[in-house]
Amino acid sequence: MSYGRLRSLALLGCLLLASYCSRGNAEANFEVFVPEVIEAEIGETVVIDCEFSLPENISYAYIHWCSGEKIPPKKIISLIQDEVHWAEDQYKDRLDIAKNFSLVIKKVAPQDAKPYICQVGLGSLGFSENRTKLHVSKAPEAPEFQLVKDGVRADEPTLQEIASCTARNGFPAPSIVWYKNKEALDLKDTEIGIHDTVITESSGLITLRSMFSARVAKEDREAQFHCQVNYTLLGTNKTSMSDSFKINVLYATQNLSFTLDQPNQELKEGDNVTLICEGDGNPPPEYTLIKEDSQETILDDKLFIPSVTRNDSGNYWCKTLDLHTLKELSASVELVVTYLDVPTIFPAGPQEPTEGDDLTLTCSTKGSGTLKFQWQKKGKLVADGAVLNLTSITYEKMGNYTCVVTMPDSPGWVHSRHIFIAVRAKPQKLKVEQSLSVREGEVVDLTCIFYSVPRMNISWSTSNGTVNTSRRKNHHNSTLSVLITKEILKSGLNCTGENEFGSEYQHFPLRLKTKVHPDKPKTITQESKGVIIVAVIVCLLVFAVLGAVLYFLHMKGKLACGRSGKQEITRPEAHKDEIVVEVKSDKLPEEAGLLQGANGEKRSPGDQGANAGLTLEQETG
């Protein structure tokens, strides 16, 4: 090793021995400036500035950064002759000195929260220093609550643990405050107890757990609780709240109710009903349901009865026993089932009294209330009461009668029963709409219908023809198919119905169908219509040709217009084979005067008929 290098090492050793963080030497006459307090968040990088101004022509000999509260403080890193030296190897990964002499701390940890000293040495001229304090912080995780038990019994004499609140991995240590219905609980309240436990994790972070105890009452079952964590982050006070929760307060049953699921609705036979027993304890007690005068019991809080009957009416009891207090409670409900039976009529079945007889019908039934009876026929009231008296029965009193039963106190109940009354008497004919206009020699069908309760016979006044009979209930039908002769047209036909009580007949006066009157206009056939259309077209063509000829003659000046309104144009005798045209006036003959002949002579109006229909004529000579 060369002499120069040995000299340098010796000099460096002397400087290191002389450079320690103490006030052993007199301070130099200059100042060092550092921040009073530094705030840093755990896990981040922090820079602590160190500023100073040296006298002229003097340079620093070393920069020391020391830390801790001890005297002398512990040196952690130095800058000597522009080289960085670490007091311990463990500092190399996280500590450094910047070009402006600032201390750089990477990945700030909880243990970095302490005082720091920046010391600037001038060799034999002494040194100057100043100190700062590093505060580190980290927000804890969101607080979590946990109920200690599934339920807490009310009115216990001692405090019971309710829930714990935990705030994990914060720094510095946070604090926890408990709230009830958004109001902070007072630690001086003897009805509550709060115990905090601080846990320092291996990372240096702090976990705080707070246990909440209290004496609870039944009214606390609706209260909302939560915990709040108070902490400091970068010098600022902050808070974080947990979710709210309720306490499951356990208390004995004091009141018991036993009701129907539809308490205000009248219960009728056939309805479904549910009886519900409910106590106000928590947890609900065990229920026992039983019907009075019955040995059957049900261990449930509900009793469902489908399609209730009158036999289900009665008193029902609900009983319960609180297992904590051993107190027994009971409640009852009366089940009233209304009913109304379908009525019966005596005498039963269809009745067939004889015409002129009297008949008494009695309607009876059972119901849970006062009954009202009415007799109706075709929807109209015929009698009030359960008894219907029919006297001197006639055909008019025949038909369906209905007994309608209601319960005025229960409007939902209506039942009825029908009975048919048929009258035994001689046959009664029924009118049938049918045509009696016939032609001689044709076969016609005639129908007569009789109403008769006993069986009857139907006969016709002629033995000719074919007879078909049918019967539906008490209606007897007979249809005659007969050939119409002069004798039948003259006498007509009779239909007679007969039973054990007498007979009834129906007369059919037949009349001959009238022929079509000859003066009436005949129907125009399709062929006639075609002929008429052709004739009209031909006439139109003739008038068109005539008009063209007249117009041609007028334009040639060969047609003279006289006041008489009519001129006859005559060619000389030598030209008999040419066309002759006659022009007529629209005026009446009296106004037009006498017509002139071919030679100029006048004609009387009677002579005009010979030529009146002539409009266009061709002479052949």
Side-chain angles (χ1 to χ4, degrees):
M1 184 177 294
S2 64
Y3 174 75
R5 184 166 182 80
L6 289 173
R7 183 180 178 184
S8 298
L9 290 174
L11 179 59
L12 178 59
C14 293
L15 290 173
L16 289 174
L17 290 174
S19 59
Y20 55 90
C21 292
S22 70
R23 296 181 178 271
N25 295 331
E27 293 186 3
N29 189 19
F30 69 94
E31 289 185 286
V32 176
F33 300 95
V34 295
E36 184 176 353
V37 176
I38 298 294
E39 296 287 348
E41 190 169 358
I42 291 177
E44 302 295 327
T45 297
V46 64
V47 177
I48 304 176
D49 294 333
C50 181
E51 298 178 357
F52 54 88
S53 178
L54 298 178
E56 295 182 2
N57 300 324
I58 297 177
S59 62
Y60 71 91
Y62 60 86
I63 303 293
H64 289 325
W65 277 99
C66 305
S67 66
E69 299 284 353
K70 297 180 180 179
I71 299 176
K74 182 179 180 181
K75 183 175 61 177
I76 55 176
I77 190 171
S78 299
L79 179 63
I80 302 174
Q81 293 185 348
D82 297 329
E83 289 187 12
V84 178
H85 301 273
W86 290 270
E88 299 178 12
D89 291 340
Q90 62 177 344
Y91 298 141
K92 289 183 179 181
D93 293 334
R94 296 198 312 117
L95 302 182
D96 199 1
I97 296 179
K99 293 181 179 180
N100 61 353
F101 314 116
S102 299
L103 175 63
V104 179
I105 305 176
K106 301 176 182 178
K107 296 181 181 179
V108 172
Q111 57 269 26
D112 295 327
K114 52 191 172 182
Y116 288 86
I117 301 170
C118 178
Q119 188 178 84
V120 180
L122 303 181
S124 61
L125 297 179
F127 66 90
S128 185
E129 65 182 15
N130 205 345
R131 65 177 50 211
T132 183
K133 193 170 184 178
L134 176 62
H135 292 170
V136 300
S137 58
K138 180 184 179 300
E141 298 172 10
E144 299 177 352
F145 75 88
Q146 184 176 8
L147 294 173
V148 176
K149 301 177 182 178
D150 292 337
V152 181
R153 185 157 294 278
D155 302 323
E156 290 292 321
T158 59
L159 296 178
Q160 301 179 76
E161 291 184 343
I162 306 299
S164 64
C165 180
T166 304
R168 303 179 186 277
N169 299 320
F171 194 89
S175 62
I176 294 179
V177 180
W178 288 89
Y179 285 79
K180 175 182 178 181
N181 295 329
K182 298 183 179 181
E183 292 186 5
L185 296 177
D186 188 0
L187 295 177
K188 296 180 181 179
D189 189 349
T190 58
E191 298 296 317
I192 66 169
I194 297 175
H195 177 69
D196 293 340
T197 301
V198 178
I199 303 171
T200 302
E201 307 291 347
S202 59
S203 61
L205 299 178
I206 297 175
T207 295
L208 178 63
R209 179 176 289 111
S210 180
M211 179 61 70
F212 169 55
S213 301
R215 293 187 183 92
V216 297
K218 181 179 178 180
E219 293 74 18
D220 292 327
R221 66 188 185 279
E222 298 298 332
Q224 295 280 351
F225 294 86
H226 76 273
C227 61
Q228 176 178 294
V229 177
N230 300 327
Y231 62 95
T232 300
L233 181 65
L234 298 178
T236 303
N237 295 327
K238 294 182 175 294
T239 60
S240 178
M241 292 188 299
S242 71
D243 294 333
S244 61
F245 62 92
K246 288 184 178 181
I247 301 175
N248 183 22
V249 181
L250 307 178
Y251 47 89
T253 299
Q254 296 179 346
N255 299 290
L256 190 66
S257 64
F258 196 26
T259 58
L260 302 178
D261 56 345
Q262 299 175 348
N264 297 324
Q265 181 178 348
E266 184 181 57
L267 193 61
K268 304 188 297 296
E269 267 193 332
D271 290 344
N272 298 331
V273 64
T274 302
L275 283 70
I276 303 173
C277 187
E278 186 176 9
D280 61 354
N282 184 37
E286 296 291 336
Y287 300 98
T288 301
L289 306 181
I290 186 171
K291 182 183 179 183
E292 198 172 79
D293 301 330
S294 174
Q295 301 299 322
E296 183 180 359
T297 60
I298 299 176
L299 299 178
D300 199 353
D301 62 334
K302 295 179 181 178
L303 173 60
F304 175 68
I305 307 177
S307 300
V308 293
T309 65
R310 66 197 72 181
N311 297 328
D312 294 318
S313 297
N315 285 327
Y316 289 78
W317 288 87
C318 172
K319 298 181 179 181
T320 180
L321 177 65
D322 189 280
L323 298 179
H324 186 73
T325 61
L326 298 180
K327 182 179 179 181
E328 184 180 58
L329 297 175
S330 63
S332 66
V333 61
E334 184 180 7
L335 191 65
V336 178
V337 180
T338 62
Y339 62 91
L340 177 63
D341 292 337
V342 177
T344 58
I345 298 176
F346 180 82
Q351 296 296 307
E352 298 180 355
T354 302
E355 186 177 23
D357 288 351
D358 298 336
L359 178 63
T360 300
L361 299 176
T362 303
C363 185
S364 63
T365 188
K366 293 181 179 180
S368 57
T370 302
L371 304 181
K372 180 180 180 181
F373 294 86
Q374 285 187 336
W375 286 91
Q376 298 178 1
K377 181 181 180 183
K378 294 182 179 180
K380 295 182 179 180
L381 178 67
V382 295
D384 280 317
V387 178
L388 174 64
N389 292 311
L390 299 175
T391 59
S392 301
I393 292 176
T394 61
Y395 271 117
E396 287 74 17
K397 295 181 180 180
M398 177 181 65
N400 263 316
Y401 288 80
T402 304
C403 172
V404 181
V405 186
T406 59
M407 288 195 300
D409 296 336
S410 302
W413 278 114
V414 178
H415 276 320
S416 62
R417 175 76 74 177
H418 304 280
I419 186 171
F420 186 78
I421 298 178
V423 180
R424 296 171 60 86
K426 72 175 184 177
Q428 183 182 24
K429 64 183 178 181
L430 303 177
K431 291 183 179 181
V432 181
E433 294 293 335
Q434 49 192 326
S435 176
L436 299 179
S437 297
V438 298
R439 289 192 180 95
E440 185 180 350
E442 72 174 344
V443 176
V444 298
D445 292 337
L446 298 176
T447 301
C448 63
I449 302 176
F450 291 94
Y451 176 86
S452 175
V453 174
R455 289 187 175 273
M456 60 170 291
N457 295 320
I458 300 177
S459 61
W460 291 85
S461 59
T462 179
S463 59
N464 297 329
T466 302
V467 177
N468 291 320
T469 61
S470 62
R471 179 174 181 266
R472 185 179 180 184
K473 292 187 178 180
N474 297 320
H475 291 79
H476 302 259
N477 295 7
S478 179
T479 300
L480 171 67
S481 297
V482 63
L483 177 67
I484 301 301
T485 63
K486 291 182 179 180
E487 292 76 9
I488 292 177
L489 277 170
K490 183 178 180 181
S491 62
L493 291 172
N494 292 329
C495 173
T496 303
E498 184 178 5
N499 64 14
E500 60 184 270
F501 295 98
S503 62
E504 182 67 68
Y505 81 97
Q506 182 175 355
H507 177 63
F508 294 91
L510 302 178
R511 56 183 178 273
L512 190 65
K513 288 184 179 179
T514 59
K515 295 183 180 179
V516 179
H517 196 278
D519 294 337
K520 291 184 178 179
K522 295 181 180 180
T523 304
I524 300 176
T525 63
Q526 292 293 334
E527 295 179 357
S528 299
K529 291 181 180 179
V531 173
I532 294 173
I533 293 172
V534 172
V536 171
I537 294 174
V538 171
C539 291
L540 291 175
L541 291 174
V542 171
F543 279 114
V545 173
L546 177 60
V549 171
L550 292 176
Y551 181 77
F552 175 79
L553 293 176
H554 175 72
M555 295 300 293
K556 292 294 185 177
K558 295 182 179 182
L559 180 65
C561 297
R563 290 185 179 180
S564 63
K566 178 178 178 183
Q567 293 266 348
E568 185 180 57
I569 303 172
T570 306
R571 305 296 288 174
E573 293 294 333
H575 302 284
K576 292 288 185 178
D577 55 343
E578 294 184 8
I579 298 174
V580 177
V581 178
E582 182 181 13
V583 179
K584 295 183 178 180
S585 171
D586 293 334
K587 295 182 180 181
L588 297 175
E590 292 79 6
E591 297 177 359
L594 298 176
L595 299 175
Q596 295 182 357
N599 296 324
E601 70 273 18
K602 295 182 180 180
R603 294 182 181 179
S604 64
D607 295 333
Q608 299 175 26
N611 296 324
L614 179 63
T615 58
L616 183 63
E617 180 182 357
Q618 182 176 2
E619 296 181 0
T620 58

